[in-house]
C-alpha cells in the first residue's frame, strides 16, 4: 500500500493509500463520521462508514480528540463535480492522543491565539502564511543567485549602530564591553562589495521600537543587498525586478495558499504587469495635501496615514524618492535642492493595500570627507566608525543598496491584517513568549 502525502492525493485516485496525519476537525451523523485531516503538506477529508469498519475502528473515529495523530488507510475518491479528493476509510490507527485541544472550533481572539502560538501554528492561516514566507525566501535567494550576487553573512553582534541609535538592543559582551544586536548588515556589506562586487545578506535583525502598529516587529528578517557601481536609479530598477519576481513566484507557486486565505490577487497581478511609480518626497507630500486635504509637514518623514494614501492612490508600488536628509541615515548620499533643502538620494518603496513601506534603500555617500563630517555632525564616535570610513579611503566607488523586510512583504502578499502572523514566533513590545 502507498504511504502518501496529501499534496499528491490526486495521483492515487481509486487506489488504497495510507496517510500519517493529525485530525484537525470532525463531525458525524450516526452512521457516518467525517474526519478532516492534515499532514503538513495539505488538508483532506476522511469519510468513515460504520458498516464498513471494525467496531474498534468505528469507535475510534467517534471518540478521537482533535489534534490526535493517526495513520489512516483507505481508498482515494473524487468529488463528482469539483477537484476535491477524499479518503474512504478502511482502517485507522491512533498514534498520539490529544484531549481537549485548547484551540477548538469556536472563535478565539488574537491574544489567546498568540499566547498559544505553538498550537495556533497548526491552524490553516499560519500554515498558508508560513508557506508563502518560505516561497518569498526562496524567490529572493534564487533571484540574487541568478543576478550574480554572492551571499555574505553579516554579524548579529555589532559594536555600532547602522540606523537610529535609539532603537538598539544592547547586551554585555564579556567583561565590560557593550555590543548591540544588528539593525541591518548594510555597513558590513559595503565592505563586502569591495571584494565581491554585488552581495546580499539575509537574517534576523532587531529594533527596540516602541511602535505598536500592525507593521512593526522587534525581531524581523531583513535582506540587505549592496551593489558596487550602481547609482540609485539602477538600484530601484533592480528592486522593481526583484519585487515582480517574488510576486510572480507567489502567484504561481502558492495559489492554494492564497485561495485558502481568500486573497484577492487583482492588485498583485496588476503590479507584475505595471511600471512602478517613482515620485519625489516633496511631490508625494503635495499630492496628499492638495488631493486629500490633509495638513502635511514637508520637512518630515512620511506618516503612516500619508503612506497609506499614496499606496491607495496609485494601487501599485511607489518609490518615494529623496527624503529630507534630516530624517534619514548618516550614510546616505545627499544633495541640496532648489528650495535649499538637503535631501538624501534614496527611496522607500511603498506597497499598496495598506502594506506601507516594504523596502528602504539609498545611494551611499562615497566621499570620505563628506561621510566623515556626517558622522561627526551626528555625534557618532569616529573611533567606532573608522573601519567603515576605510571603505571610502581605499578605492572608493559609487554604490547603492537596499533592505527588504521579509515580514512586511509577506504581510502584503498574504493579505493578513497583522505582521505578527507572518513569522513563526513573533517578538513585539508585548509578545515575548512562547
Ligand atoms: O528602512 P530600513 O530601516 O533600512 C535599513 O535598515 C537599511 N540599512 C537597509 C539597507 O539599505 N540595506 O529598513 C529596511 C526595511 C524596511 O523597508 C521594512 O520593510 C523593514 O526593513 N522594517 C521592519 N519590518 C518589521 N518591523 C520593523 N520594526 C521594521 N523596521 C524596518
Amino acid at each position: 500500500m502507498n504511504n502518501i502525502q496529501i499534496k499528491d492525493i490526486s495521483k492515487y485516485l481509486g487506489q488504497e493509500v495510507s496517510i500519517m496525519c493529525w485530525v484537525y476537525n470532525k463531525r458525524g451523523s450516526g452512521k457516518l463520521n467525517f474526519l478532516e485531516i492534515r499532514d503538513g503538506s495539505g488538508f483532506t477529508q476522511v469519510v468513515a462508514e460504520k458498516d464498513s469498519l471494525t467496531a474498534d475502528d468505528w469507535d475510534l473515529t467517534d471518540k478521537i480528540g482533535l489534534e490526535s495523530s493517526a495513520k489512516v488507510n483507505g481508498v482515494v475518491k473524487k468529488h463528482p463535480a469539483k477537484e476535491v479528493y477524499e479518503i474512504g476509510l478502511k482502517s485507522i490507527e491512533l498514534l498520539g492522543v490529544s484531549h481537549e485541544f485548547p484551540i477548538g472550533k469556536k472563535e478565539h481572539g488574537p491574544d489567546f491565539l498568540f499566547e498559544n502560538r505553538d498550537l495556533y501554528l497548526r491552524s490553516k492561516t499560519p500554515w498558508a502564511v508560513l508557506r508563502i514566507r518560505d516561497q518569498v525566501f526562496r524567490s529572493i535567494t534564487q533571484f540574487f543567485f541568478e543576478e550574480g550576487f554572492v551571499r555574505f553573512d553579516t554579524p548579529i553582534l555589532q559594536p555600532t549602530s547602522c540606523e537610529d541609535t535609539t532603537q538598539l538592543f544592547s547586551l554585555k559582551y564579556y567583561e565590560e564591553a557593550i555590543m548591540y544586536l544588528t539593525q541591518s548588515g548594510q555597513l558590513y556589506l559595503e565592505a563586502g562589495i569591495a571584494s565581491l562586487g554585488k552581495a546580499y545578506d539575509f537574517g534576523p535583525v532587531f529594533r527596540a521600537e516602541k511602535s505598536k502598529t500592525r507593521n512593526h516587529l522587534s525581531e524581523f528578517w531583513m535582506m540587505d543587498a549592496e551593489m558596487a557601481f550602481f547609482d540609485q536609479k539602477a538600484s530601484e530598477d533592480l528592486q522593481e525586478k526583484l519585487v515582480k519576481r517574488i510576486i510572480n513566484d507567489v502567484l504561481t507557486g502558492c495559489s492554494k495558499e492564497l485561495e485558502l486565505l481568500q486573497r484577492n490577487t487583482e492588485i498583485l497581478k496588476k503590479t507584475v504587469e505595471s511600471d512602478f511609480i517613482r515620485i519625489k518626497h516633496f511631490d508625494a507630500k503635495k499630492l496628499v495635501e492638495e488631493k486629500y486635504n490633509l495638513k502635511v509637514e514637508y520637512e518630515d518623514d512620511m506618516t503612516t496615514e500619508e503612506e497609506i494614501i499614496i499606496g491607495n492612490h496609485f494601487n501599485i508600488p511607489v518609490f518615494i524618492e529623496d527624503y529630507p536628509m534630516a530624517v534619514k541615515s548618516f550614510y546616505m548620499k545627499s544633495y541640496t535642492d532648489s528650495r535649499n533643502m538637503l535631501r538624501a538620494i534614496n527611496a522607500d518603496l511603498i506597497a499598496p493595500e495598506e502594506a506601507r513601506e516594504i523596502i528602504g534603500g539609498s545611494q551611499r555617500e562615497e566621499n570620505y570627507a563628506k561621510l566623515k563630517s556626517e558622522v561627526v555632525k551626528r555625534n557618532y564616535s569616529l573611533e567606532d566608525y573608522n573601519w567603515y570610513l576605510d571603505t571610502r579611503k581605499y578605492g572608493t566607488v559609487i554604490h547603492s543598496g537596499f533592505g527588504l523586510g521579509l515580514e512586511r512583504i509577506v504581510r502584503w502578499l498574504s493579505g493578513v491584517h497583522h505582521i505578527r502572523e507572518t513569522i513563526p514566533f513573533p517578538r513585539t513590545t508585548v509578545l515575548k513568549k512562547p
Side-chain angles (χ1 to χ4, degrees):
M1 190 194 321
N2 293 308
N3 227 326
I4 69 158
Q5 285 194 293
I6 293 173
K7 70 176 172 58
D8 301 322
I9 195 166
S10 64
K11 294 183 201 151
Y12 296 90
L13 184 60
Q15 298 182 40
E16 189 171 340
V17 298
S18 68
I19 301 175
M20 315 283 254
C21 60
W22 291 267
V23 176
Y24 75 91
N25 222 336
K26 63 172 202 177
R27 64 202 155 83
S29 59
K31 290 191 161 230
L32 276 180
N33 280 332
F34 299 92
L35 306 181
E36 289 179 63
I37 61 166
R38 52 176 194 84
D39 69 346
S41 80
F43 302 82
T44 191
Q45 174 170 270
V46 171
V47 182
E49 281 181 54
K50 188 173 183 181
D51 295 343
S52 51
L53 293 173
T54 64
D56 282 353
D57 280 0
W58 171 255
D59 205 39
L60 182 56
T61 65
D62 240 0
K63 295 199 176 118
I64 195 162
L66 294 190
E67 288 303 323
S68 298
S69 49
K71 180 177 180 181
V72 297
N73 303 310
V75 176
V76 177
K77 297 178 177 165
K78 184 176 175 291
H79 187 284
K82 292 187 253 170
E83 271 303 299
V84 173
Y85 295 83
E86 61 183 28
I87 305 280
L89 190 68
K90 288 193 129 185
S91 65
I92 179 167
E93 183 187 334
L94 183 65
L95 300 177
V97 179
S98 165
H99 282 308
E100 299 186 12
F101 189 66
I103 302 174
K105 288 181 189 165
K106 71 176 167 85
E107 284 281 311
H108 297 285
D111 288 350
F112 180 83
L113 293 177
F114 281 91
E115 273 162 31
N116 293 282
R117 179 63 165 169
D118 51 321
L119 303 178
Y120 171 47
L121 283 172
R122 304 180 185 204
S123 303
K124 282 187 173 174
T125 296
W127 179 86
V129 175
L130 295 176
R131 286 171 65 94
I132 291 173
R133 179 184 168 104
D134 172 62
Q135 176 62 66
V136 174
F137 188 88
R138 257 179 301 132
S139 296
I140 291 173
T141 49
Q142 277 165 3
F143 175 83
F144 281 115
F145 174 69
E146 288 161 18
E147 292 286 328
F149 280 66
V150 176
R151 182 172 167 129
F152 179 85
D153 298 311
T154 53
I156 286 179
L157 292 170
Q158 300 187 359
T160 50
S161 80
C162 177
E163 301 300 323
D164 183 352
T165 48
T166 58
Q167 298 178 354
L168 286 165
F169 282 109
S170 59
L171 52 88
K172 192 167 170 291
Y173 192 68
Y174 299 114
E175 279 84 54
E176 296 307 313
I178 293 284
M179 284 281 243
Y180 305 105
L181 295 179
T182 177
Q183 298 168 304
S184 158
Q186 178 199 323
L187 305 190
Y188 292 90
L189 274 169
E190 287 184 62
I193 58 164
S195 163
L196 300 162
K198 294 190 283 189
Y200 75 100
D201 69 6
F202 209 152
V205 299
F206 306 85
R207 304 256 169 119
E209 283 181 81
K210 291 265 157 60
S211 333
K212 285 194 178 130
T213 75
R214 58 194 177 99
N215 230 0
H216 284 88
L217 292 165
S218 308
E219 175 181 332
F220 61 97
W221 277 61
M222 168 109 84
M223 188 288 307
D224 296 284
E226 200 68 30
M227 299 80 68
F229 314 112
F230 270 52
D231 63 10
Q232 176 61 15
K233 159 128 191 1
S235 173
E236 284 174 30
D237 291 345
L238 186 77
Q239 293 168 47
E240 182 168 338
K241 194 171 171 193
L242 168 66
V243 171
K244 286 179 174 169
R245 164 65 180 273
I246 294 170
I247 297 177
N248 239 329
D249 287 352
V250 168
L251 286 173
T252 50
C254 298
S255 53
K256 253 187 333 204
E257 290 79 358
L258 293 168
E259 201 184 306
L260 193 153
L261 294 165
Q262 298 181 332
R263 177 75 168 101
N264 177 340
T265 54
E266 234 168 83
I267 288 179
L268 298 181
K269 287 181 184 145
K270 186 174 144 209
T271 296
V272 176
E273 287 153 14
S274 317
D275 290 338
F276 290 6
I277 306 293
R278 299 179 192 210
I279 185 174
K280 300 287 177 209
H281 174 271
F282 178 86
D283 296 322
K285 288 271 185 186
K286 198 158 157 225
L287 190 155
V288 172
E289 184 177 52
E290 290 180 355
K291 275 227 147 129
Y292 296 90
N293 289 326
L294 224 78
K295 183 165 166 30
V296 301
E297 299 295 340
Y298 282 88
E299 294 81 37
D300 281 358
D301 213 337
M302 299 297 290
T303 63
T304 303
E305 195 182 3
E306 289 164 4
E307 282 186 3
I308 290 174
I309 287 174
I310 292 290
N312 286 342
H313 181 82
F314 292 105
N315 261 332
I316 54 168
V318 182
F319 286 107
I320 301 183
E321 301 173 328
D322 300 7
Y323 283 58
M325 188 60 189
V327 302
K328 286 293 176 188
S329 303
F330 77 99
Y331 51 73
M332 294 188 183
K333 195 172 170 66
S334 59
Y335 69 98
T336 305
D337 73 5
S338 55
R339 294 175 197 87
N340 214 23
M341 181 184 280
L342 192 63
R343 292 199 173 267
I345 302 179
N346 82 307
D348 284 352
L349 182 63
I350 309 300
E353 305 183 281
E354 302 198 5
R356 300 183 49 207
E357 182 197 328
I358 53 171
I359 294 183
S362 67
Q363 188 162 331
R364 321 306 191 187
E365 179 52 74
E366 80 278 8
N367 180 282
Y368 177 81
K370 280 193 192 158
L371 186 60
K372 186 172 172 186
S373 83
E374 193 65 32
V375 170
V376 173
K377 197 167 117 194
R378 298 201 187 208
N379 285 326
Y380 297 172
S381 145
L382 262 184
E383 199 190 332
D384 286 348
Y385 285 91
N386 259 335
W387 72 270
Y388 177 62
L389 288 166
D390 276 351
T391 56
R392 278 53 171 183
K393 215 172 176 180
Y394 305 103
T396 191
V397 294
I398 284 179
H399 64 289
S400 300
F402 60 93
L404 173 148
L406 177 63
E407 293 77 12
R408 291 267 180 100
I409 194 160
V410 173
R411 181 170 92 80
W412 175 35
L413 302 184
S414 62
V416 290
H417 178 76
H418 201 294
I419 197 165
R420 66 188 161 212
E421 295 278 1
T422 62
I423 183 163
F425 290 96
R427 298 287 177 250
T428 66
T429 49
V430 289
L431 292 172
K432 293 168 225 147
K433 53 181 190 181

